[in-house]
Amino acid sequence: MNLSDKTSILQLAALLHAHGVRHAVLCPGSRSAPIVHTLTECGLFTCHRATDERSAAFLALGLALHGAPAAVVCTSGTALLNMHPAVAEAYYQQVPLVVISADRPAAWIGQLDGQTLPQPGAFGPLVRCAVNLPEAADAESAWHCNRLVNEALLETRHRVCGPVHINVPLSEPLYNFTPAAGLPQERVITRRSAPAPQELAGLLQGYRRPVLLPGQLPPGAAAALPQELLCMAEHLANGCCRDLCRVDELLATPAAETLPVPDLVITLGGHVVSKRLKQYLRRHRVEHWHICPEGRVADTFCTLTTVFECTPAEFLRSLQSCGRRAGEFEQAWRAAESSLRPADTAADLSLAATQGLVSMLRAGESLHLANSSAVRYAQRFPVPPGVTVCCNRGTNGIEGSLSTAVGYAAAASAPCYVLIGDLSFFYDMNALWNSMPKDNLRIVLLNNGGGKIFSTLPGMPEQGESRAAITGTHALSAQAWAESCGLSYLRAADSPTLAAALTALQQATAPTLLEVVE
C-alpha cells in the first residue's frame, strides 16, 4: 500500500484505530487529501464519502451513536465551520464524535492566502478537547504529536462521552505517498480506574525493576506510603519516602552509569525538582504510569502508557497486597546512595547556611523553599521527621515565594522558616509590607549578588553585560527594608558569624531575617 509520508498523519491514523475508531466520513478537498488517502488505503477503516460538511458531521454523529467514536474529516477553511451544528449536538447529547480538520501552516493564517482562518479552538467550549498538531519533523515534535492525539481521543469517552477536535496543519507537497507495509506502531496511552489488588499484581508481573516516584505532595497526603516498590522521593513529597532521597546527587556520580535501570516508573503528586532524574528516565525510555484523580495526561518522561484515574491512596492500597519486591536492583541503588559523601559545605557559605537551617528544624515546624538554588540546596540534607516542606513548584517561578510563606505563617502557630535566594527575595520584598502577623516568621536569605544558579548553565558568558543581565547582578542588602518592616536583622558573612546567627535565629521570639552574604 502507499501511504502519506507525513508523520503526523501516520500517527493520527494509527491512534484512531487504537482508540476504537472504525468509521470515518470523508469530505472532499485538497489540503485534507493526505489524511483521506491514508485512511482509505490503510485498510483499517470503513470510509464513507459526503460532500456537504454540515451533513457529513451529522452522518458521523449517527455512526457514533452506536457507542464507539466515529471520525469526520474536512479540508481547511470554512469547511470546518459548517460542522459546528453537529458538534454542538454531539456535545449536549454526549456522543463521541472526532472532528479532524486539515489546515494550512500557521505562518500563512491571516496572510490573505486561500482557505485560511484561525481553526484551532474553532468550536470553543462545545468540545471536550481541542488539539493543534505539530508538523512532526523530529523526535520531540513526533512525541508531542503522539501525546496530543492520545489526549484528544481519550477525552471522547472520559467520564462522559463527547466530541473532540483534532486540527492538522499540513505543508505542501501534499501528494507524496510512499510504499508501506502498514501504519506504524504508535505508543497508545490508556486510562484505567483504581485497580483491584489482583489486577495490579497482574499488571506488575511483567516488570522486574519498578520504582515509585512521588512528586510534590501536601502534608500528610502520603504519610503512610507503602514500600512495596523501591521509592525515590524529594523533600517536597513531605516525608513519604523511606528509601532513596538523594537521587539527584547520585545521578551526578560515575556510579550511576553502572546501576540497573528501572523498567517502570509510577508517579503520583506534582512536580519532581531533579532535572537529572527526569533526563535519566527520558534517556533510558523507562515506561511510565501516572496516578491522577482527574485522569489527566502528564507525559513527563515521554513514555507514559497508563493513567490511573484514582487517588494515590486507592492505588497504594492495592499495591500493598502485591508484596515487597526486594532484590539486587533495590540493593544496588540503596548501596550506591549510602556511599555518597556528605555535602562539602566548607567552601560554600550558602550551602553551610542551608545545612544549619535544615538541621535545627523540629517536628511541627515548616520549611518554605524558594525556587532555583534554595530548593536544590535543601534537597542535599535530610529534613527531620514531622517537618512540613512547602514550595511554589506548580510553575516554578521566583515570584511570590516569600508572600506564600508569610500567608502560611499568618495561619500557623509554630515557627515557619523560609530559605530564599536574593532575586526571589527582592522580587517579592513587598510580602513583608502588609498587616499579616509575622511573629513566627524566620527568614534565611542567601544573598550572593545575583542568580547563582544561572552560573552553572553551560555556555554562560564568563563576563560582560549579557552575563550581568542574565544573572540579575546587584549589590543590594535587605537590612534597611527588613528593619523598616519590623523584623529583627541578623547578618553572616563567614562560618563563625553564621553559627552564631543561626543560634540566634532559632532562639528568636519575633520575626527575624538572617542575611547570609557571600
Side-chain angles (χ1 to χ4, degrees):
M1 67 182 73
N2 289 328
L3 303 179
S4 173
D5 65 349
K6 297 185 181 298
T7 300
S8 60
I9 293 177
L10 297 176
Q11 289 181 314
L12 174 62
L15 290 171
L16 284 169
H17 187 265
H19 283 273
V21 175
R22 296 295 180 267
H23 290 271
V25 179
L26 309 176
C27 301
S30 60
R31 190 60 49 168
S32 58
I35 305 174
V36 169
H37 178 85
T38 297
L39 294 182
T40 56
E41 290 296 310
C42 71
L44 297 176
F45 304 94
T46 301
C47 295
H48 312 268
R49 291 182 294 164
T51 301
D52 179 349
E53 285 86 5
R54 182 178 59 174
S55 176
F58 279 107
L59 289 171
L61 184 143
L63 290 165
L65 284 173
H66 291 279
V72 58
V73 180
C74 71
T75 194
S76 61
T78 54
L80 176 66
L81 303 185
N82 286 297
M83 296 187 179
H84 219 142
V87 169
E89 182 65 25
Y91 182 83
Y92 287 109
Q93 204 178 144
Q94 298 181 357
V95 178
L97 175 66
V98 182
V99 176
I100 301 168
S101 56
D103 199 356
R104 303 297 174 108
W108 290 101
I109 307 304
Q111 301 307 304
L112 304 182
D113 199 26
Q115 290 181 292
T116 57
L117 55 85
Q119 293 181 197
F123 300 119
L126 293 177
V127 287
R128 304 287 180 192
C129 181
V131 297
N132 187 47
L133 303 188
E135 295 197 64
D138 52 34
E140 184 173 55
S141 58
W143 159 75
H144 188 199
C145 183
N146 173 285
R147 194 199 81 212
L148 289 175
V149 176
N150 270 295
E151 285 184 20
L153 296 177
L154 281 170
E155 290 307 308
T156 59
R157 291 180 286 187
H158 181 211
R159 299 181 181 174
V160 297
C161 294
V164 299
H165 176 205
I166 301 174
N167 193 60
V168 190
L170 297 170
S171 298
E172 296 181 9
L174 302 174
Y175 299 99
N176 280 357
F177 306 127
T178 57
L183 295 174
Q185 293 293 317
E186 283 294 315
R187 180 215 20 184
V188 180
I189 300 174
T190 60
R191 187 183 279 121
R192 292 175 174 268
S193 57
Q198 286 185 332
E199 179 189 6
L200 182 56
L203 292 172
L204 286 170
Q205 196 169 11
Y207 302 93
R208 296 184 298 112
R209 300 183 300 276
V211 297
L212 193 63
L213 178 57
Q216 183 170 20
L217 291 167
L225 194 69
Q227 298 293 290
E228 278 64 32
L229 304 182
L230 182 69
C231 184
M232 303 175 177
E234 299 168 324
H235 293 335
L236 298 188
N238 270 300
C240 70
C241 177
R242 295 185 291 275
D243 282 340
L244 305 177
C245 299
R246 299 175 66 188
V247 176
D248 184 77
E249 290 178 72
L250 177 56
L251 292 177
T253 67
E257 297 303 317
T258 65
L259 290 171
V261 178
D263 57 8
L264 173 66
V265 58
I266 304 173
T267 59
L268 58 111
H271 281 251
V272 172
V273 176
S274 173
K275 185 176 182 179
R276 285 194 190 98
L277 178 55
K278 287 182 279 193
Q279 290 176 334
Y280 174 86
L281 294 171
R282 290 168 188 162
R283 184 171 71 252
H284 289 287
R285 304 296 299 169
V286 178
E287 185 176 346
H288 178 201
W289 296 354
H290 183 55
I291 305 163
C292 177
E294 297 85 10
R296 289 194 305 268
V297 171
D299 196 12
T300 311
F301 314 117
C302 309
T303 51
L304 182 69
T305 59
T306 309
V307 178
F308 288 92
E309 189 173 1
C310 60
T311 65
E314 290 173 313
F315 184 91
L316 297 172
R317 276 197 296 270
S318 293
L319 184 60
Q320 282 181 305
S321 303
C322 295
R324 181 67 178 173
R325 301 176 67 87
E328 294 181 0
F329 165 65
E330 296 186 1
Q331 293 167 8
W333 277 82
R334 284 204 197 88
E337 186 180 85
S338 64
S339 67
L340 290 174
R341 296 179 179 178
D344 183 7
T345 61
D348 192 327
L349 195 63
S350 292
L351 200 59
T354 304
Q355 182 183 38
L357 170 61
V358 172
S359 65
M360 73 186 195
L361 296 171
R362 300 291 180 265
E365 298 176 344
S366 60
L367 173 63
H368 299 259
L369 301 172
N371 278 304
S372 296
S373 294
V375 67
R376 291 169 172 83
Y377 279 173
Q379 187 57 39
R380 303 187 68 178
F381 307 101
V383 171
V387 174
T388 296
V389 182
C390 301
C391 181
N392 287 351
R393 288 303 289 184
T395 51
N396 312 346
I398 67 168
E399 66 283 332
S401 297
L402 187 58
S403 293
T404 303
V406 170
Y408 185 99
S413 55
C416 298
Y417 290 89
V418 183
L419 182 68
I420 189 168
D422 44 9
L423 295 190
S424 297
F425 177 87
F426 291 119
Y427 193 98
D428 195 25
M429 58 196 294
N430 280 341
L432 303 180
W433 180 29
N434 60 64
S435 60
M436 280 187 163
K438 309 177 187 66
D439 286 348
N440 57 343
L441 188 65
R442 312 285 183 266
I443 302 170
V444 176
L445 166 58
L446 307 177
N447 190 348
N448 45 48
K452 187 174 182 180
I453 193 170
F454 301 123
S455 302
T456 65
L457 299 177
M460 168 68 72
E462 292 295 327
Q463 55 189 355
E465 186 64 26
S466 66
R467 180 182 177 88
I470 292 169
T471 60
T473 302
H474 66 86
L476 301 175
S477 169
Q479 180 174 0
W481 180 251
E483 290 178 340
S484 69
C485 292
L487 276 73
S488 299
Y489 177 81
L490 302 168
R491 187 177 187 274
D494 52 34
S495 296
T497 55
L498 175 63
L502 286 170
T503 299
L505 183 72
Q506 187 176 31
Q507 296 173 350
T509 57
T512 304
L513 182 144
L514 164 58
E515 186 168 17
V516 180
V517 181
E518 289 191 273

